[in-house]
Amino acid sequence: MTALLEISDLVKTFGTGEVATRVLRGLSLSLEEGELAALLGPSGSGKSTLLTILGTLMKPTSGHYTMLGHDLIAANDKELTAFRNRHIGFVFQFHNLLPDFTALENVVFPTAISDGRETPAARARGRDLLERMGLADRINFPTANLSGGQKQRVAVARALMNGPELVLADEPTGNLDSASAMQVMELIAQINREEGTTFLISTHDEKIASLCRRQIVVGDGVVTG
Amino acid sequence: MLYALKIAARYLTASRAQTALLVTGVAVGVFIFIFMSALIGGLAEFILSRTVGDISHVTIQAETDDPPLLISPQGHVLVVAERGSTRIATLAEAATFLPLIEGVAGIKAVSPQIAGAGVIKRGAQVSQVSVIGLEPGRESAILDLEGYLVDGSVRLGSGLILLGRDLADDLALTVGQTLRLQSAEGVTAALTVGGIYQTGNGGVDGARAFVSLSVARTLFAMPQGVTRIEIKLFDLNAADTIAARIRSLTGLDAVPWTDGAEQLMEALDAQAQTGYVLKTFALITIVIGVASALLLSTYRRRPEIGIMRAMGASRGFVVFVFVTQGALIGVMGGITGAALGYLALLPFPSRDAFQAGTLPIDITQGSYGVAIALTVIGAILASILPARSAARVDPVTAIGQ
């Protein structure tokens, strides 16, 4: 396996002076292509900050971050936006769907913003993804009419829409009942197996973590295990 | 950017009540803009038609030559001819210029005239009048005598005279009766009253008489030429340009009506400025309304903007979504307001049928296209601030909300 991304000596400090809080303290990590990894650690250990930096939504105070050969520390906002759209998918704890759009429109969104319109090919892929998520009968439903588990499966389909190499999931099952949580995790594991997409899943749930082939433990701003 | 348009439209249709309220607010602003345009424009037309509608728009007046001097070879002035008080300057070759003048674009009518002073005598009664000789067939070319006629006919033939109502009443004259008109040159003619008019202007109705050009030639001993040429235009606002054109074509002293009408022009200008101020306030109201509504929408949709940014939407894309919302609101409000304005103005009489006591509103001066265009531009400008604010949303903070 080859390295998908590498970070080293990552430091992130919020605030300045006496109120400065150092959340990441020289964290280093490498993820291989096709990994299914769980990110574990107590609250405040820096898991969410790490995911945010890996997702190029935030820049570290210092350190190195390369993915697919791109130096993402040196890239500007425009380059990061395009990179994120093409190579990284997100699944949030609270699904974070666009409420005024249907399930299919939400799934197609990442492709539509890069293409400038909803192409028939994108809509076909969106339908296919929703069917794989077991939502064939909810394709044109407004997301407000879906259950929590269904919304999270729409969010997973959206994260996969552009065929990203990396999907970052921040507590994707944290807001679901155990049955829905297991359903979402099984889908993630299936896609990881079939398409080789790398998943990094932040979770507090040992049961969810045990479904992943690798567990990365973060504590006090560094990888501890 | 078609996709940004779809998102903008979806945001507007998702909050129908709020959008309807916003569009209504913009439409009211546009309605006020259009109503003010029609009122100020109509008022200006009304004032102009009442003040200069019946006068010559461009007048070619003969220039009085300086009195001749007889100077000795040594430079001493030997004889000075005093200018007579009743001396009439003439446009001796007016006939040759008429076809040239009539060929100038924008000219509605040309009326060669001989004007002079005279007195009308009837029995013991005497009235001083201004006598104007008109070419038969062109009696109503400048002053609409046909429209103001209350008795008889405007047709000026040999031996006929047209009098104003006040003058006719003063001299107890009616159509068909005879009077004697003596010119300042001392020539007297016996004339029959062919018609009586009433313009509502005391100076015209009480001290002016119209005769044919041939009668005027006899009265003022002017076998050829005229004293002035009056010209009526299709557009009286083009008087300055057309007067300059006539001057360059003929070399004659063509004077537009605006010369000496500075006070009227200042009043009309002040009125127009008032209109601009009111219309500007209407536009400012639209801009503030759209900006505040979109700012509110930006705040409300911060989490969604954060999601869009996380999914790879550029700042430009987010700006375009909100600017498009502003443009759509401007288009919808502009068209609705323009339609409402047009419908509201329909019951008012047309510009040619203004009556005393009614609002002189001119539906053709509603500036509908300008109102819509300015509204759309204003709404787009108003949306830039909220759009930029939306584009600056930090996705990490917004998603965490």
Side-chain angles (χ1 to χ4, degrees), chain B residues 68-160:
Chain B
L69 301 178
L70 182 59
I71 301 172
S72 73
Q74 290 75 31
H76 303 298
V77 175
L78 300 177
V79 175
V80 178
E82 188 181 354
R83 181 186 286 181
S85 60
T86 59
R87 190 172 181 280
I88 298 174
T90 61
L91 291 162
E93 294 170 352
T96 56
F97 288 120
L98 285 180
L100 198 61
I101 296 167
E102 283 172 331
V104 175
I107 289 181
K108 188 177 180 183
V110 177
S111 175
Q113 300 177 359
I114 293 173
V119 289
I120 292 177
K121 295 178 181 174
R122 185 161 194 265
Q125 289 179 297
V126 176
S127 275
Q128 279 199 332
V129 289
S130 163
V131 182
I132 297 170
L134 301 174
E135 202 168 71
R138 300 193 196 208
E139 293 89 348
S140 297
I142 306 298
L143 179 64
D144 182 18
L145 286 171
E146 183 80 54
Y148 293 129
L149 196 73
V150 291
D151 198 8
S153 163
V154 293
R155 186 72 186 168
L156 285 171
S158 182
L160 292 176

Side-chain angles (χ1 to χ4, degrees), chain B residues 115 168 208 308 383:
Chain B
R208 195 174 293 181
M308 286 186 198
S383 63

Side-chain angles (χ1 to χ4, degrees), chain B residues 138-183:
Chain B
R138 300 193 196 208
E139 293 89 348
S140 297
I142 306 298
L143 179 64
D144 182 18
L145 286 171
E146 183 80 54
Y148 293 129
L149 196 73
V150 291
D151 198 8
S153 163
V154 293
R155 186 72 186 168
L156 285 171
S158 182
L160 292 176
I161 187 168
L162 299 178
L163 300 177
R165 180 62 162 272
D166 296 347
L167 184 60
D169 287 349
D170 288 349
L171 298 173
L173 283 166
T174 56
V175 171
Q177 291 187 315
T178 307
L179 54 82
R180 292 177 72 78
L181 173 60
Q182 184 179 1
S183 72

Side-chain angles (χ1 to χ4, degrees), chain A residues 121-197:
Chain A
R123 292 178 71 84
R125 175 163 169 78
R127 274 197 200 90
D128 181 50
L129 283 167
L130 284 169
E131 283 167 9
R132 286 179 69 183
M133 298 294 149
L135 295 169
D137 57 343
R138 297 287 185 273
I139 284 174
N140 291 313
F141 267 48
T143 52
N145 296 352
L146 300 178
S147 69
Q150 288 170 335
K151 284 177 184 172
Q152 200 60 305
R153 279 183 279 158
V154 172
V156 173
R158 180 180 64 183
L160 297 169
M161 182 65 198
N162 275 350
E165 286 81 357
L166 173 67
V167 173
L168 301 169
D170 191 2
E171 304 278 1
T173 58
N175 203 36
L176 303 178
D177 58 67
S178 56
S180 297
M182 288 313 293
Q183 199 177 12
V184 167
M185 272 312 295
E186 280 165 13
L187 278 168
I188 287 175
Q190 184 191 352
I191 289 156
N192 170 258
R193 274 194 314 274
E194 292 175 359
E195 300 191 5
T197 307

Side-chain angles (χ1 to χ4, degrees), chain B residues 251-315:
Chain B
L252 298 174
D253 184 24
V255 179
W257 68 269
T258 48
D259 276 19
E262 285 82 5
Q263 285 180 326
L264 174 63
M265 297 307 287
E266 279 172 15
L268 290 174
D269 191 46
Q271 184 183 288
Q273 298 293 336
T274 308
Y276 292 141
V277 170
L278 292 172
K279 286 188 274 187
T280 304
F281 281 140
L283 278 176
I284 289 172
T285 308
I286 291 171
V287 168
I288 291 174
V290 172
S292 58
L294 285 180
L295 266 176
L296 206 64
S297 169
T298 306
Y299 186 76
R300 198 162 58 86
R301 293 194 182 273
R302 280 172 66 87
E304 292 170 56
I305 296 164
I307 298 164
M308 286 186 198
R309 294 279 290 128
M311 297 297 126
S314 64
R315 290 183 199 275

